[in-house]
Amino acid sequence: MADLILKPNLDRADDVYADLLAAHEGLSKAESDALNARLILILANHIGERTVLQQALDAARAAAPE
Amino acid sequence: MNKIFEIPLYPYTRSPDQDAQTPARRKVVIVGAGPVGLAAAIDLARQGVEAIVLDDNDKVSFGSRAICFAKRTLEITDRLGCGQEMVDKGVIWNLGKVFFGDRKVYEFNLLPEEGHQRPAFINLQQYYFEEYLVKRAREVEAEGAPIELRGQNKVLQVTDRGDHTELLIDTPEGQYTLEADWLIACDGAGSPIRSMMGLDFVGRVFEDNFLIADVVMDADFPTERWFWFDPPFNKGQSALLHKQPDGVWRIDLQLGWDIDKEEEKKPENIVPRLKAMLGEDVQFDLEWVSIYTFQCRRMEKFRHGRVIFAGDSAHQVSPFGARGANSGLQDSDNLVWKLKMVIDGTAPDTLLDSYDTERIHGADENILNSSRSTDFITPKSETSRIFRDAVLDLSEKYEFARPLVNSGRLSMPCAYDGSPLNTPDALPDGPARTRPGAPCPDAPLGNRFLLDDLGDRFTLLTLDAEAPDTFEESGIAVTRRALSVADDPTGALTARYLGGAPAAVYLIRPDQHVAARWPAFDETAVRAAIRRATGQE
């Protein structure tokens, strides 16, 4: 069973980040929210392991500002 | 006066118990002549246990109510002797379509597995289901079985007397007192018995209203289950269309929380809604209209001494998934053989505690599934709706999202994993679906089906294995059903009961659930498993 990767794992981080912003460009808040939801579901299916997703949810929650 | 639900089927007649000098004592009294109460009464009586059914009404269910009956329920009614009538009248369906907004996003086929006597589901109005049970009750009564239906007998008071329960009953001719060794409360979600006993019924309230309209129409809609999320004719809400016998269609429209129920029920408000859905030109008549809300909840315990709750009185779920009546039938299926053994003195009273364990397990599974369906169908927060809509949008294009679409996870029989009646699995190469606790899947055996020969008693099912033909342990008779892969024309028996094993011996409970299994007959092990399955160790 794989563990969630929390070390740098993106080859060209700046490009990936720019791709994310570009996908949302010109969208309304509602359209962006919907896009994000579709993206999360697609990525969740790609990951395919509930334990990894649970670790990701925990990691995301843990990084929320105090 | 031509609808079956308008005709008194078990009208009030005076019982000698009403004139008894001292209150009559009855073995089992069942309150509520719905699907669960009737099934329990028939099952008890045909096995020789006295069953008196009391109902404050004298007719079958008003309106269609439960309409989707699952294979397991049909198998149970087969054991009771009225499954064929249900199937003959019912509408068999396999295809479901899911719409989002104005487009079809996805369709599914139940793809029922081959090699079962009964279909995965039939649609049948609850009033027919009850009518056939009432007819069956009359048949077993005519054959001499100790069963009695008492219409217009309303329980006013229940008193625990330790070794029995005392009931004060109101009738059109006044009140009388009756004593019951055992009381089964099948008196519905609003259970008066539960209230009289001051028992809990906690859970989650879903703040939503749904309109049910049963319409009679000659329409060329196919025999499919159609579910709409956010349709143009019911913006922001959901809708369901499903076919029943006699050209009756179930239409279920979500209305939201802040509505005026009386106003919404008026035909001048309903008809335009239905026309928007069905088309302006479709001619239809309204048979039955109801507005309902629902909760997902259960009692903390289903057994309270000599009072046992079954069906909606014990647990309530949302209608999505057909888990109400179907789980209630599983309750009575689970309870009756245990109660009979306790009454006959062949098992200790504590066997009934396993009814609690096993059916609470079932109820929790149903509540979980039904709550999740409801959360999908009626999202309760903005984010929940965003995810729901994302799943639906994705499902139109990508196969991966389709299993996430949840318009109701249809009832499957519960496997009693972890039950104290199970003996640990001793057939490691056997299929998981027939592990101890699981309901026996059917299989064709040439001119008959496997389940025809299982049930009502403990059975030792042997597959290419030797064992005694009859067997007794602690007063419990066990009959062998010997089969061989040579009796298996389709391979279904082998696939469902042997898997990778060359031979197997199964101990099967009277409710057709697996109690234990082994690779070969081992007398000591089988004796221990029988004692365990009957609460004796």
Side-chain angles (χ1 to χ4, degrees):
Chain A
M1 197 180 349
D3 269 332
L4 178 72
I5 299 166
L6 287 171
K7 295 256 192 285
N9 192 39
L10 292 170
D11 189 15
R12 296 161 61 123
D14 287 351
D15 288 351
V16 172
Y17 190 79
D19 290 343
L20 273 176
L21 292 194
H24 284 275
E25 207 154 304
L27 298 187
S28 68
K29 175 77 168 75
E31 288 164 339
S32 269
D33 287 348
L35 179 74
N36 277 337
R38 292 197 296 274
L39 184 64
I40 289 168
L41 290 164
I42 288 168
L43 295 175
N45 183 67
H46 182 81
I47 291 165
E49 280 185 55
R50 186 174 168 208
T51 51
V52 175
L53 289 164
Q54 282 170 329
Q55 290 172 43
L57 284 166
D58 288 342
R61 272 193 290 260
E66 295 285 309
Chain B
M1 289 288 282
N2 52 1
K3 293 284 180 191
I4 185 67
F5 53 87
E6 294 169 336
I7 302 165
L9 283 190
Y10 43 97
Y12 169 78
T13 54
R14 191 171 184 88
S15 156
D17 290 355
Q18 290 168 252
D19 303 311
Q21 290 300 308
T22 53
R25 174 78 71 92
R26 298 297 190 170
K27 276 275 179 262
V28 181
V29 173
I30 295 166
V31 181
V36 183
L38 288 169
I42 294 165
D43 207 1
L44 285 164
R46 56 188 275 283
Q47 300 186 66
V49 180
E50 180 180 61
I52 311 293
V53 184
L54 310 176
D55 198 289
D56 58 1
N57 201 324
D58 55 9
K59 304 176 189 74
V60 292
S61 143
F62 189 80
S64 62
R65 299 175 70 191
I67 62 160
C68 241
F69 293 93
K71 177 155 62 78
R72 182 65 199 141
T73 297
L74 298 171
E75 291 165 354
I76 293 168
T77 52
D78 275 337
R79 202 170 54 69
L80 301 182
C82 53
Q84 191 58 45
E85 258 186 307
M86 310 282 180
V87 176
D88 288 345
K89 182 70 183 178
V91 170
I92 296 171
W93 61 278
N94 290 314
L95 201 64
K97 286 184 179 158
V98 175
F99 301 84
F100 181 36
D102 55 7
R103 61 200 208 274
K104 186 182 87 176
V105 289
Y106 156 58
E107 65 179 57
F108 62 91
N109 192 324
L110 291 177
L111 279 180
E113 190 183 50
E114 294 291 310
H116 293 261
Q117 187 165 16
R118 295 307 179 200
F121 282 94
I122 60 164
N123 283 2
L124 183 71
Q125 293 89 325
Q126 183 172 331
Y127 49 77
Y128 282 127
F129 192 84
E130 291 182 12
E131 184 198 356
Y132 301 151
L133 287 173
V134 170
K135 273 166 78 178
R136 183 66 189 138
R138 296 296 186 213
E139 277 171 25
V140 299
E141 186 181 18
E143 291 160 8
I147 189 170
E148 207 186 308
L149 304 185
R150 296 188 188 171
Q152 294 190 55
N153 270 241
K154 182 184 165 76
V155 177
L156 297 176
Q157 208 175 297
V158 285
T159 313
D160 179 4
R161 297 286 185 211
D163 67 345
H164 69 278
T165 302
E166 189 180 288
L167 301 166
L168 179 66
I169 299 162
D170 194 29
T171 74
E173 295 181 304
Q175 301 178 356
Y176 72 105
T177 302
L178 186 66
E179 295 177 353
D181 282 351
W182 298 93
L183 181 70
I184 311 179
C186 309
D187 51 346
S191 174
I193 302 285
R194 197 184 57 228
S195 308
M196 287 175 219
M197 293 176 66
L199 297 170
D200 61 90
F201 199 41
V202 292
R204 186 171 159 205
V205 181
F206 289 87
E207 294 194 343
D208 226 314
N209 290 284
F210 290 80
L211 171 81
I212 287 185
D214 277 341
V215 307
V216 184
M217 61 179 174
D218 285 320
D220 52 4
F221 294 108
T223 305
E224 299 170 353
R225 179 186 194 261
W226 288 11
F227 198 99
W228 286 264
F229 294 97
D230 195 13
F233 56 83
N234 197 23
K235 279 307 275 178
Q237 311 284 5
S238 67
L240 173 74
L241 178 70
H242 219 172
K243 190 180 187 182
Q244 306 171 53
D246 305 338
V248 177
W249 296 78
R250 160 68 61 86
I251 292 166
D252 205 322
L253 294 168
Q254 185 193 355
L255 296 177
W257 187 232
D258 292 314
I259 58 154
D260 181 338
K261 287 191 189 187
E262 287 316 306
E263 198 56 30
E264 291 289 347
K265 261 203 271 198
K266 290 181 179 163
E268 64 259 38
N269 289 316
I270 291 174
V271 171
R273 273 185 192 281
L274 297 183
K275 279 188 184 280
M277 176 176 179
L278 302 169
E280 280 299 322
D281 306 330
V282 174
Q283 294 296 312
F284 60 84
D285 291 315
L286 284 174
E287 176 173 280
W288 178 63
V289 175
S290 170
I291 290 180
Y292 67 90
T293 58
F294 55 78
Q295 305 195 11
C296 286
R297 53 184 176 171
R298 70 160 167 88
M299 298 178 74
E300 195 191 339
K301 288 186 338 181
F302 298 170
R303 179 188 180 192
H304 292 264
R306 286 177 166 261
V307 183
I308 298 158
F309 291 81
D312 283 358
S313 69
H315 43 76
Q316 195 185 3
V317 294
S318 81
F320 309 112
R323 289 168 183 270
N326 286 308
S327 70
L329 265 288
Q330 289 172 53
D331 287 350
S332 91
D333 194 41
N334 187 288
L335 174 61
V336 163
W337 68 270
K338 295 174 181 174
L339 188 54
K340 176 182 161 51
M341 289 186 80
V342 170
I343 289 172
D344 290 349
T346 47
D349 170 275
T350 50
L351 177 60
L352 289 170
D353 294 335
S354 72
Y355 167 74
D356 237 29
T357 314
E358 293 184 337
R359 292 313 302 158
I360 283 175
H361 177 71
D364 285 347
E365 198 174 279
N366 287 324
I367 287 171
L368 179 70
N369 275 292
S370 142
S371 299
R372 286 175 171 177
S373 299
T374 308
D375 284 336
F376 192 89
I377 292 165
T378 64
K380 291 298 181 282
S381 71
E382 193 189 346
T383 301
S384 159
R385 180 174 291 274
I386 288 169
F387 273 113
R388 200 280 306 269
D389 290 353
V391 165
L392 290 168
D393 281 328
L394 289 166
S395 74
E396 188 178 6
K397 285 207 167 55
Y398 309 114
E399 197 183 334
F400 89 84
R402 290 168 196 167
L404 295 167
V405 174
N406 191 343
S407 67
R409 298 279 180 239
L410 292 167
S411 173
M412 297 291 283
C414 177
Y416 302 130
D417 290 323
S419 165
L421 305 190
N422 296 348
T423 293
D425 196 354
L427 191 73
D429 296 332
R433 65 190 292 182
T434 39
R435 66 192 181 276
C440 288
D442 209 354
L445 305 174
N447 57 357
R448 51 194 294 115
F449 280 85
L450 176 65
L451 291 187
D452 291 338
D453 301 329
L454 303 178
D456 289 346
R457 65 200 186 293
F458 276 92
T459 306
L460 207 55
L461 173 68
T462 60
L463 291 146
D464 291 319
E466 287 308 316
D469 286 336
T470 56
F471 199 76
E472 196 177 300
E473 167 60 33
S474 311
I476 295 149
V478 180
T479 317
R480 178 188 181 202
R481 178 80 175 96
L483 292 173
S484 160
V485 292
D487 306 322
D488 185 19
T490 63
L493 183 71
T494 306
R496 291 167 198 174
Y497 288 86
L498 284 176
V505 174
Y506 280 77
L507 179 66
I508 298 182
R509 309 184 343 182
D511 59 2
Q512 302 174 335
H513 279 253
V514 176
R517 62 178 184 177
W518 305 270
F521 179 75
D522 170 339
E523 184 174 333
T524 312
V526 172
R527 287 188 184 280
I530 294 166
R531 289 196 302 274
R532 192 180 176 88
T534 51
Q536 303 185 63
E537 71 176 42

